[in-house]
Amino acid sequence: MARGRTRLAADERAVARVIGWVERFCNHHQLSRAVTEVVCLALEEVVSNIVEHGSERQPGQLSLELHCDRRALSVVIEDGGKPFDPKRAVPTRTDGTLASRREGGFGLLLINGLMDDIMYQRAGAINRLKLVKHL
């Protein structure tokens, strides 16, 4: 099983740093370009939301851990921001006109469509989100 772990500031540069790190991991472990792109797109949305909504004051920290075996690539993202369980979020309506829809929520639709499994838990003051993509 291949593993990787990184910790970084949840600031405006976090998305680019995370995507670069994940791409290097996937390339090193010879994962397909399709899997790499799907996981990076989902992580781009997750990390952007952590940066934008996670902390009201200065940027917090986030950590990522990658696990890869023959069956799946999983990513565990931890941050100390406000609790947010994507499984309990109000689903975004996709019917009606754009003007009638509430803002936000489309990222969750994207992540749910891209990833095969999503798990969330709050451990003390830490959000822990696990995304799984089957290979």
Side-chain angles (χ1 to χ4, degrees):
M1 173 186 275
R3 294 178 184 243
R5 185 169 178 82
T6 190
R7 185 167 175 82
L8 53 130
D11 60 17
E12 67 279 350
R13 295 173 303 190
V15 171
R17 291 193 312 260
V18 166
I19 298 308
W21 180 73
V22 171
E23 286 178 338
R24 287 188 299 277
F25 179 92
C26 290
N27 288 338
H28 180 76
H29 296 290
Q30 300 176 342
L31 297 178
S32 75
R33 190 72 201 148
V35 167
T36 302
E37 289 175 359
V38 164
V39 171
C40 284
L41 184 55
L43 281 173
E44 183 174 338
E45 184 62 32
V46 169
V47 174
S48 293
N49 282 330
I50 291 169
V51 170
E52 185 175 345
H53 304 291
S55 181
E56 294 177 0
R57 298 180 302 254
Q58 63 193 26
Q61 294 284 309
L62 64 97
S63 67
L64 287 95
E65 189 167 336
L66 293 168
H67 302 266
C68 183
D69 59 27
R70 284 186 235 142
R71 296 173 303 188
L73 173 63
S74 63
V75 186
V76 177
I77 306 108
E78 295 182 340
D79 73 276
K82 294 181 271 185
F84 180 74
D85 184 347
K87 294 292 197 178
R88 293 188 178 187
V90 176
T92 298
R93 291 183 54 196
T94 57
D95 58 342
T97 65
L98 285 175
S100 69
R101 297 179 192 165
R102 71 176 173 85
E103 185 177 325
F106 289 99
L108 290 175
L109 286 174
L110 178 70
I111 294 165
N112 283 318
L114 293 172
M115 302 307 292
D116 296 310
D117 202 3
I118 300 170
M119 293 158 271
Y120 171 84
Q121 75 179 118
R122 181 78 176 179
I126 302 296
N127 292 304
R128 182 173 295 130
L129 181 65
K130 182 176 183 179
L131 306 175
V132 178
K133 185 66 184 168
H134 297 150
L135 303 177

